[in-house]
Amino acid sequence: MENQFHPLNNDTHQETHPSSTTHHPPPRSIDDYLESAYSTSRQYQYRGVLLEIINHWRYYIIFLALGIANSGDSAEMGCTNYILSSENFQHDILKSADEGDDVDFAGRGAAIASAHFAGMLISGLLSGVLADIWGRRSTLLLGLMCNTVVGVLSALARNATELCLLRFTCGIGLGMVIAGVVTMAAEMSPPSKRGRFMTLVGSCYTLGFLYTSFWALIIFRVSGSGNWRLFMFMNVLPTMVAATLVTMFVPESPRFFLSRGKLKEAVHVANMMASRIGGHVDEMLTEEELTQYLFQAKKMGEASCRAKDAITLHETSPVIEENLWREVWMSLGTIQQVFAKGMYRVTIPLQLTYFSLTLVTGVATWWTKIFQILELQTDAYALSFYQTLAQIPGMMLASGLIDWVGRRQLIIIGFGGGSASLILLSALASTIQHSESSGGGGIYPLLVLGLACIWTVCLCIGWLSLDCLSAETYPTKIRSTGRGVCVATGRMAGFCVQFLYGPLINQNRLSYMLGLASLFAIGGVATSCRTTDTTNVDLQDHWDYSAAGVASSDGDNGSDERQNRRISFAETTHSKYLSIEQSI
């Protein structure tokens, strides 16, 4: 196949213009520049992983801050698993004077468990657009500040209504954090290591769950009668730390500045990041070089509208800044752009995959309560802590395999393994509940814990791979918006499914609950097969996927040649993009 020029990866220019490459090196994209800085830093300064991190801590602390922000998100999401199982919480929040001793899991419990999903549903649409227009960093900081305040207030809640409202507001903040963290991790990584950096940041989700489960084990102890208000306050500490680190060390994404036509700011941040990486690039990136790069992209019809304007303006018009919030409002009305011009072929499978994975993940809200209902001869909080530890091998597997096996393949593996473990858990729960001996002896706790750990590993692999896939799918101009639409679809599932799982928990029908979740996982296998893999594909700054003239199917993205080199989107074999027409 004849090589085509692509503005994000200029590896093919030599064959197109052989006479000009000797005297006039091609203009570099931001991806090219960061890749060059990272590769030269490894070549000349690599003396071990620890020493490299110490020498270039100003670059790696960006991902540390994003990771802690991600862990704060997971801590807020995972806390309901433990407070719903606390006796003091049940007495203070889930009971009322006219209901006697009955604990209302079907109504109040399900409402509290689902409230943050409702907030994330709204925030998933709003924060994606906000991150694409206002900025990734600004949106991230707003979410972190919101959750810091809401987390402290949640520890002071007096009834279920107040806590539901606070958890709903927390969900809005969670959506903002997610919109900023994943997108920034993708846009500030060197292309050859993007999957690894994104997976490591995503893996910090595990640290948040471990942090929460550790404090649950310490505070609630065996009986679950500890101070749940103290637990909620300790739960907000990672978010406070993340807000401080992001404020001090994390710059705005250079790709965001580029998409907004702010060449001066984009060049400044790109050069600052290259300096932090410690690479020995021949020349620093300049506005003139980036303008030349955009000019070539414009000739191909592959630059964003804002970047095209920057070719002649070199700065953002004051009118744009004054009408920022008007632009946000207008963009909310044009979310259909992630479905227009054939993009629905990419977006709808991602939406269905998020929907299915969130349905399966809804079981996580009730693990501690499940262990209590089964009356296993082991502390339920200890079992929940051990089950959370299983996220560590899941994180390591996803990080090590994501660039080798591929994003889509790992998602399918995650769904398949999760479905199998849930089917076995459903049968085992039925057996234990019909057993005459309480807890079923010493073998049942090990079997339940083992299957729960397998489920956790599979879901961890699925989530990390799906977040990476969705962040790489969309062009820069709508990357956060596209992810926001997909994530919001998942949050809708997370909100609704708690009102399905809650009554089943109330009736102790665990086998039905786990069996239903396994069916959702089987559906996830089917939907994830329809997604488009992005392994080894450069991020896109443009809309036009058809200009490259690609003409083959999307099934060979695991070839040896693709594994050994970074490729341009023009050389990929993604048939789902072929029908997308030029939209500029």
Side-chain angles (χ1 to χ4, degrees):
M1 182 176 65
E2 182 181 353
N3 286 319
Q4 303 284 340
F5 168 80
H6 188 277
L8 292 182
N9 187 359
N10 297 316
D11 295 336
T12 62
H13 72 276
Q14 290 91 342
E15 296 182 16
T16 306
H17 300 289
S19 61
S20 61
T21 56
T22 303
H23 303 290
H24 302 285
R28 295 166 295 180
S29 67
I30 292 177
D31 261 357
D32 294 330
Y33 186 56
L34 293 181
E35 181 66 29
S36 176
Y38 184 80
S39 61
T40 54
S41 71
R42 301 278 292 184
Q43 180 179 357
Y44 293 107
Q45 301 183 26
Y46 180 75
R47 298 172 183 171
V49 175
L50 181 59
L51 186 59
E52 181 187 358
I53 293 176
I54 294 175
N55 288 338
H56 310 306
W57 68 271
R58 292 187 304 160
Y59 178 67
Y60 290 107
I61 200 172
I62 294 174
F63 299 97
L64 174 64
L66 296 177
I68 295 177
N70 209 17
S71 67
D73 251 26
S74 61
E76 289 293 342
M77 292 185 65
C79 67
T80 52
N81 175 31
Y82 302 103
I83 61 174
L84 287 172
S85 304
S86 166
E87 292 181 357
N88 285 341
F89 179 81
Q90 293 170 11
H91 178 271
D92 294 342
I93 303 296
L94 299 185
K95 290 183 180 180
S96 63
D98 55 348
E99 291 178 352
D101 294 331
D102 293 335
V103 178
D104 185 14
F105 287 112
R108 296 182 182 183
I112 293 171
S114 63
H116 67 282
F117 284 109
M120 294 175 76
L121 169 62
I122 297 174
S123 182
L125 300 175
L126 174 64
S127 59
V129 173
L130 198 62
D132 282 333
I133 295 176
W134 190 33
R136 283 79 157 109
R137 181 178 182 270
S138 301
T139 304
L140 172 60
L141 275 175
L142 181 60
L144 291 173
M145 296 298 182
C146 172
N147 284 350
T148 297
V149 175
V150 170
V152 174
L153 293 178
S154 295
L156 306 175
R158 296 168 296 181
N159 51 57
T161 302
E162 290 182 358
L163 189 57
C164 280
L165 291 175
L166 289 169
R167 293 297 295 169
F168 173 80
T169 307
C170 177
I172 294 178
L174 291 175
M176 293 182 181
V177 173
I178 292 173
V181 163
V182 179
T183 304
M184 291 188 75
E187 295 181 348
M188 304 179 84
S189 306
S192 64
K193 300 298 180 183
R194 181 169 290 124
R196 179 165 298 178
F197 276 104
M198 289 184 63
T199 311
L200 289 175
V201 170
S203 298
C204 289
Y205 224 61
T206 298
L207 299 181
F209 283 118
L210 287 175
Y211 175 87
T212 302
S213 63
F214 171 77
W215 281 112
L217 186 61
I218 296 298
I219 293 175
F220 295 132
R221 300 182 298 278
V222 176
S223 64
S225 59
N227 190 334
W228 67 271
R229 299 184 187 276
L230 174 62
F231 172 76
M232 294 294 284
F233 177 78
M234 298 302 298
N235 199 58
V236 80
L237 291 182
T239 303
M240 295 180 180
V241 174
T244 303
L245 291 177
V246 170
T247 301
M248 296 175 62
F249 298 109
V250 179
E252 182 57 89
S253 165
R255 282 181 172 273
F256 166 74
F257 285 133
L258 181 63
S259 70
R260 300 295 296 173
K262 299 181 178 181
L263 297 190
K264 181 178 180 180
E265 291 85 350
V267 167
H268 173 72
V269 175
N271 285 327
M272 179 182 67
M273 290 176 60
S275 175
R276 290 187 179 187
I277 293 174
H280 294 275
V281 291
D282 295 334
E283 295 181 2
M284 297 182 68
L285 191 65
T286 63
E287 288 185 63
E288 290 73 19
E289 182 178 7
L290 197 55
T291 302
Q292 186 181 3
Y293 153 72
L294 290 174
F295 180 75
Q296 291 190 11
K298 180 181 180 182
K299 291 177 64 177
M300 295 294 296
E302 295 176 336
S304 68
C305 296
R306 194 75 67 188
K308 284 183 177 181
D309 295 337
I311 296 174
T312 54
L313 295 178
H314 293 276
E315 59 184 11
T316 304
S317 169
V319 177
I320 294 175
E321 298 301 329
E322 292 174 2
N323 294 332
L324 175 64
W325 291 106
R326 180 184 177 186
E327 187 177 357
V328 171
W329 180 254
M330 292 177 63
S331 295
L332 286 174
T334 57
I335 288 179
Q336 66 266 23
Q337 60 190 319
V338 301
F339 301 97
K341 303 291 184 180
M343 285 296 293
Y344 70 90
R345 297 171 182 261
V346 177
T347 300
I348 292 178
L350 280 175
Q351 284 183 290
L352 294 176
T353 304
Y354 267 101
F355 192 88
S356 300
L357 192 55
T358 309
L359 289 175
V360 180
T361 309
V363 175
T365 306
W366 304 97
W367 272 123
T368 307
K369 190 61 186 176
I370 289 173
F371 295 145
Q372 289 178 340
I373 292 175
L374 291 176
E375 298 181 352
L376 303 172
Q377 297 176 355
T378 306
D379 176 26
Y381 286 94
L383 289 174
S384 190
F385 177 75
Y386 299 144
Q387 178 251 335
T388 305
L389 285 175
Q391 293 189 27
I392 296 178
M395 169 191 68
M396 297 174 65
L397 284 172
S399 179
L401 298 177
I402 194 165
D403 287 324
W404 180 56
V405 176
R407 282 71 158 146
R408 179 174 61 183
Q409 287 78 1
L410 281 183
I411 297 172
I412 295 172
I413 291 172
F415 271 123
S419 175
S421 60
L422 286 171
I423 291 174
L424 293 176
L425 271 170
S426 176
L428 184 59
S430 178
T431 301
I432 293 175
Q433 289 185 304
H434 288 86
S435 175
E436 295 181 359
S437 59
S438 177
I443 188 64
Y444 283 154
L446 291 177
L447 290 176
V448 171
L449 179 60
L451 290 172
C453 288
I454 294 174
W455 177 90
T456 301
V457 170
C458 293
L459 266 291
C460 185
I461 291 174
W463 272 116
L464 291 174
S465 304
L466 183 58
D467 282 340
C468 188
L469 176 67
S470 62
E472 294 176 335
T473 295
Y474 296 97
T476 300
K477 186 176 176 62
I478 59 164
R479 183 165 295 122
S480 291
T481 303
R483 284 202 74 254
V485 170
C486 295
V487 171
T489 305
R491 301 318 176 198
M492 185 187 304
F495 173 79
C496 296
V497 79
Q498 297 305 330
F499 291 96
L500 182 60
Y501 291 159
L504 293 175
I505 286 290
N506 223 31
Q507 301 169 22
N508 292 343
R509 304 179 72 173
L510 299 185
S511 60
Y512 289 90
M513 173 185 175
L514 297 171
L516 187 62
S518 69
L519 294 179
F520 295 147
I522 294 174
V525 173
T527 59
S528 57
C529 287
R530 303 300 302 171
T531 60
T532 302
D533 203 356
T534 59
T535 307
N536 291 333
V537 178
D538 283 355
L539 292 182
Q540 303 307 299
D541 282 327
H542 59 84
W543 288 84
D544 182 20
Y545 295 112
S546 61
V550 192
S552 58
S553 68
D554 65 344
D556 61 352
N557 47 294
S559 66
D560 293 337
E561 181 182 7
R562 295 168 65 94
Q563 294 293 333
N564 294 330
R565 66 184 179 90
R566 186 167 63 91
I567 60 175
S568 69
F569 205 86
E571 297 175 284
T572 60
T573 51
H574 294 288
S575 63
K576 296 178 185 178
Y577 292 126
L578 298 183
S579 62
I580 304 177
E581 300 176 356
Q582 186 173 345
S583 60
I584 299 178

